[in-house]
C-alpha cells in the first residue's frame, strides 16, 4: 500500500456517492465549528443570500439555516444523489422555501456578479483549488460580503514523508495556514479569522460514523474488489489521522471581500 498508494480519485464515483450518501456529513466538521465560523461574520442583512458550495447532503447547510441565518441558501453539489438528500432534508425541516439544493459545479456557477452576502464551503474547495476558488468565487460576493471555507492545511513547516505523500497526492496544493491566509488576502479579502477544526470533527463526526455503514456497504458489495479497496482506503485515512494529526487538519478561513483583484 505504501508504494502503490491509491487515492479516492481512483474509485468509481457511483460507489463513493453511495457510501457517503448514507452519512450525515461527507467530510470532517461539526455544528460547533459551523456556528463558530458564523460568529465571525458581522453585519449580515436580515435576509442574506448565501451559497454553500460542495454542500454534499447539507449537514452544515441545515445548521446555518436553523441558526440565526434567516435568508435564502442555495446549496450546490455536482452529485444529484447528494442534492436529492439535501432537498429532502430541507423539506423535513420545513425550510424548503428558502433552502434549495441544485446540481452544479463550483467552477462554473450559474449566479450573477455580486449576488451573495456569503459564500460557504466546508471540505470542498480543494476540488477547484484554494487559490482558484477564492478568486473565482470573489466575483459572486457583494463588496463587504464574506467567504467562509474549511481547507486541509499543514500545521507545521515539515512533516514525515508518509503523510506528506498522502496529502500531496490528495490535495497537491496543500499548504500551511500562514500561506493560505496570504492567498486569501491576495484574492481580495481581509482575513477575519482562521481556526483549526477540533479532533472531534474528524473522529466523532467523520471516521466513527463511517464504521457504522461499512459493514452494510461491504455486505451489499460482497466480492467487489473495488468496494473492498475503497473501504481499506477510508480506514487508512483514519489510521493516518491518528498517527499524524499533529501535522495537519482542516482550518476554517473566514474573509471579508474588500475588492475584486480582477477589476480593482
Ligand atoms: C468532502 S465533501 C464535503 C461535503 C459537505 N460540505 C460536508 O462538509 O459534509 C466534498 C463535496 O464536494 C462536492 N464536489 C466535488 N467537486 C465538486 C465540484 N466541482 N462542484 C460542486 N461540488 C463538488 C462533492 O460531491 C462532495 O459533496
Amino acid at each position: 500500500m505504501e508504494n502503490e498508494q491509491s487515492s479516492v480519485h481512483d474509485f468509481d464515483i457511483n460507489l463513493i456517492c453511495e457510501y457517503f450518501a448514507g452519512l450525515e456529513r461527507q467530510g470532517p466538521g461539526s455544528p460547533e465549528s459551523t456556528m463558530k465560523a458564523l460568529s465571525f461574520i458581522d453585519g449580515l442583512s436580515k435576509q442574506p443570500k448565501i451559497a454553500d458550495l460542495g454542500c454534499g447532503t447539507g449537514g452544515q447547510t441545515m445548521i446555518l439555516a436553523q441558526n440565526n441565518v434567516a435568508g435564502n441558501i442555495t446549496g450546490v453539489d455536482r452529485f444529484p444523489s447528494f442534492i436529492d438528500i439535501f432537498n429532502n432534508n430541507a423539506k423535513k425541516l420545513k425550510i424548503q422555501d428558502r433552502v434549495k439544493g441544485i446540481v452544479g459545479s463550483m467552477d462554473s456557477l450559474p449566479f450573477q456578479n455580486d449576488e451573495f452576502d456569503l459564500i460557504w464551503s466546508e471540505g470542498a474547495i480543494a476540488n477547484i483549488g484554494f487559490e482558484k476558488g477564492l478568486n473565482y468565487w470573489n466575483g459572486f460576493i457583494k463588496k463587504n460580503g464574506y467567504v467562509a471555507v474549511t481547507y486541509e492545511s499543514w500545521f507545521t513547516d515539515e512533516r514525515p514523508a508518509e503523510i506528506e505523500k498522502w496529502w500531496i497526492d490528495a490535495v497537491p496544493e496543500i499548504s500551511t495556514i500562514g500561506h493560505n491566509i496570504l492567498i486569501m488576502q491576495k484574492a481580495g479579502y481581509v482575513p477575519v479569522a482562521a481556526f483549526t477544526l477540533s479532533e472531534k470533527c474528524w473522529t466523532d463526526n467523520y471516521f466513527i460514523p463511517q464504521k457504522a455503514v461499512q459493514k452494510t456497504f461491504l455486505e451489499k458489495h460482497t466480492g467487489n474488489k473495488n468496494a473492498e479497496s475503497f473501504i481499506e482506503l477510508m480506514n487508512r485515512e483514519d489510521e493516518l489521522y491518528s498517527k499524524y494529526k499533529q501535522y495537519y487538519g482542516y482550518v476554517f478561513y473566514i474573509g471579508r471581500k474588500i475588492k475584486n483583484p480582477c477589476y480593482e
Side-chain angles (χ1 to χ4, degrees), residues 17 24-29 52-61 76-79 82 104-107 121-125 127-128 150 152 206 250:
C17 279
E24 199 172 315
R25 302 196 57 111
Q26 290 72 48
D52 182 0
L53 308 180
C55 58
T57 59
Q60 69 293 320
T61 332
V76 179
D77 202 282
R78 62 191 277 230
F79 293 123
F82 288 173
S105 188
M106 60 176 75
D107 56 8
S121 182
E122 293 195 30
I125 194 169
N127 291 291
I128 179 173
T150 62
E152 299 89 338
Y206 184 57
Y250 267 101

Side-chain angles (χ1 to χ4, degrees), residues 1-14:
M1 192 80 179
E2 266 87 7
N3 295 329
E4 289 176 35
Q5 177 176 283
S6 29
S7 89
V8 77
H9 312 299
D10 300 331
F11 291 94
D12 174 15
I13 214 67
N14 293 318

Side-chain angles (χ1 to χ4, degrees), residues 163-175:
I163 195 61
E164 176 116 8
K165 183 172 175 350
W166 169 272
W167 275 109
I168 288 188
D169 184 52
V171 180
E173 284 182 328
I174 185 169
S175 190

Side-chain angles (χ1 to χ4, degrees), residues 2-110:
E2 266 87 7
N3 295 329
E4 289 176 35
Q5 177 176 283
S6 29
S7 89
V8 77
H9 312 299
D10 300 331
F11 291 94
D12 174 15
I13 214 67
N14 293 318
L15 208 62
I16 299 175
C17 279
E18 182 195 323
Y19 179 77
F20 280 109
L23 296 162
E24 199 172 315
R25 302 196 57 111
Q26 290 72 48
S30 69
E32 293 78 18
S33 57
T34 298
M35 293 308 297
K36 182 169 172 182
L38 192 59
S39 76
F40 289 106
I41 294 170
D42 279 337
L44 269 187
S45 65
K46 275 207 174 121
Q47 293 198 315
K49 224 174 154 186
I50 299 167
D52 182 0
L53 308 180
C55 58
T57 59
Q60 69 293 320
T61 332
M62 305 306 150
I63 299 294
L64 281 176
Q66 290 174 289
N67 289 277
N68 301 335
V69 178
N72 287 293
I73 310 184
T74 306
V76 179
D77 202 282
R78 62 191 277 230
F79 293 123
S81 56
F82 288 173
I83 290 298
D84 286 346
I85 297 171
F86 179 107
N87 284 326
N88 274 334
N89 287 341
K91 222 182 236 169
K92 275 186 215 150
L93 294 167
K94 299 191 172 27
I95 50 175
Q96 71 274 23
D97 292 346
R98 59 185 188 87
V99 179
K100 286 193 177 27
I102 59 168
V103 176
S105 188
M106 60 176 75
D107 56 8
S108 174
L109 294 169

